[in-house]
Amino acid sequence: MDAVYLHGPGDLRIDDVEPRAVSAGTVAVDVEYTGICGTDLHEYEVGPVPIRAEGTDHSIPETEWDEYLPKPMGHEVAGTVSEVGNDVDDLQAGDRVTLNMVAACHDCRYCATGKYHLCERGDGGVVSSRGFADRIVVPSSMAVPVPDDVSLRHAALAEPLGVSLRGVRRAGVGPTDRVAVFGAGPIGLGVIAGAAAAGARAIYVSEPRAARREAATALGADVVLDPTDVDAVEYIQRETDRVEAAFECAGTATTLTDALRSTAYGETVVVLSVFEEEVPIHPNDIMQAERELVGSFGFQGGPLASQSEFTAALELIADERIDPEPMITETVPLDSVGSAFEELRDPSSEQIKVLVEP
């Protein structure tokens, strides 16, 4: 069958591969939709990216790429179960599912305390799932049933929405809070939708691209600013005397500093971006204001997957408290995946979330 593999920066190929067999504890899923993730784009630009690798400066040396390349691509998957392995009794052929790809070793210190999304199994590893393909085989624990009133098109966004909802949860956003979101790509838009669902009092957004500003408004933003025309920090400080929570969703030094300086003293800034390189910040923006700068990574999985932000995303879609449709700008066939990656990389593009339909 055809499947998309990364062979190096800018080198994305549709390879002819053998379908994987179903074994005990696994299921095969006929893929209906797979979203192109920001992490996919990041790897397309710079090569395989580790999930965590502090000892190697958050990168994989090119001399070690042979261990990871070529690597399968695509992990925002929704489809229909076509085959189940032995020992699988909670799923059957015909079930509609989306995939929570959090894998857990069950042995490390993080798994021992229920932090399965921080499992040490991911240290230095890469996301290697074959989602840009007709069919994918995964452990049955990763297949999450899709509610009857949620389309598979929208279920494919449970993964990025789960990431966003964890960020909102990390900030503890509630009805008395005003929030600022810097960057309205898929994760930032999910934060806007999640903050609105949490009852945030007001949501301010800074985003330079017009289509993303329009989507931000559709998903619940109260004020949307173009930072090329308006000083977002100055505006937010003037209108709110600083917000109670800010979210960095663009991955630049400017947006990180802007998020800090838009946040009230003693409040929280959440970083959800994957940064391509180190960026400078002034520690006094944290220390002298007693701000909390926290990271937010992925969403819960493993044995706690049913309690995760991923599952909550599906429920919020089913309850019509989140409508993912404004995030989806195009659906393309598998043979157009390369051109879709190139368009998403273009800083002038108005694309947001592109779904691949194998």
Side-chain angles (χ1 to χ4, degrees):
M1 68 177 189
D2 288 339
V4 175
Y5 276 72
L6 180 71
H7 287 257
D11 187 2
L12 202 64
R13 305 180 196 176
I14 299 176
D15 293 340
D16 184 12
V17 300
E18 286 293 325
R20 290 172 179 156
V22 170
S23 58
T26 69
V27 297
V29 176
D30 289 342
V31 178
E32 187 74 20
Y33 297 101
T34 303
I36 298 177
C37 177
T39 303
D40 296 328
L41 292 172
H42 189 50
E43 294 196 307
Y44 180 70
E45 291 177 349
V46 303
V49 174
I51 296 173
R52 281 180 291 275
E54 293 173 351
T56 56
D57 199 25
H58 298 279
S59 65
I60 297 173
E62 190 171 349
T63 54
E64 298 177 13
W65 282 4
D66 286 349
E67 181 181 346
Y68 300 99
L69 298 177
K71 71 176 289 293
M73 299 285 280
H75 57 271
E76 298 180 357
V77 178
T80 304
V81 174
S82 58
E83 186 180 355
V84 300
N86 295 332
D87 301 327
V88 177
D89 54 15
D90 56 344
L91 292 168
Q92 60 185 358
D95 287 349
R96 300 182 321 131
V97 297
T98 184
L99 304 185
N100 181 329
M101 294 289 197
V102 175
C105 71
H106 303 283
D107 290 328
C108 71
R109 61 181 291 184
Y110 304 105
C111 288
T113 56
K115 299 175 182 177
Y116 299 105
H117 65 299
L118 300 180
C119 173
E120 287 184 338
R121 176 178 176 176
D123 287 357
V126 297
V127 178
S128 293
S129 57
R130 201 157 71 179
F132 293 130
D134 294 335
R135 179 178 185 267
I136 185 171
V137 176
V138 296
S140 63
S141 60
M142 291 184 175
V144 179
V146 174
D148 291 340
D149 46 2
V150 175
S151 68
L152 288 178
R153 171 181 169 89
H154 288 168
L157 273 73
E159 201 272 358
L161 283 171
V163 171
S164 300
L165 290 178
R166 181 160 189 85
V168 173
R169 188 177 183 183
R170 292 277 285 160
V173 173
T176 64
D177 296 324
R178 297 160 301 178
V179 306
V181 181
F182 291 86
I187 300 303
L189 290 172
V191 168
I192 294 163
R201 179 157 54 121
I203 301 171
Y204 297 81
V205 177
S206 175
E207 168 55 51
R209 301 193 201 188
R212 297 182 178 199
R213 292 197 300 273
E214 183 178 341
T217 299
L219 287 164
D222 297 288
V223 178
V224 181
L225 307 169
D226 179 352
T228 63
D229 291 334
V230 178
D231 186 319
V233 176
E234 183 179 285
Y235 181 96
I236 292 168
Q237 288 180 346
R238 182 177 67 249
E239 294 297 315
T240 69
D241 193 23
R242 300 183 177 89
V243 296
E244 284 71 42
F247 299 87
E248 196 295 307
C249 303
T252 73
T254 298
T255 50
L256 180 54
T257 293
D258 286 353
L260 283 165
R261 294 179 180 176
S262 298
T263 306
Y265 300 164
E267 301 294 352
T268 303
V269 176
V270 182
V271 178
L272 290 105
S273 298
V274 175
F275 283 72
E276 292 190 3
E277 57 189 9
E278 293 183 21
V279 297
I281 61 171
H282 203 307
N284 288 351
D285 285 335
I286 302 170
M287 183 277 292
Q288 291 181 345
E290 287 197 348
R291 295 182 174 106
E292 294 188 17
L293 180 63
V294 303
S296 183
F297 176 75
F299 41 78
Q300 185 58 275
L304 296 180
S306 64
Q307 304 171 35
S308 76
E309 299 85 2
F310 184 100
T311 304
L314 288 172
E315 293 173 354
L316 288 168
I317 296 171
D319 293 343
E320 299 184 349
R321 294 176 65 190
I322 290 181
D323 176 12
E325 193 60 33
M327 299 170 64
I328 304 171
T329 47
E330 190 173 9
T331 301
V332 301
L334 190 66
D335 60 8
S336 296
V337 68
S339 59
F341 267 67
E342 282 297 321
E343 189 171 2
L344 284 164
R345 286 183 65 204
D346 183 351
S348 66
S349 170
E350 295 295 346
Q351 294 282 19
I352 303 173
K353 173 62 68 176
V354 174
L355 298 180
V356 178
E357 192 174 12

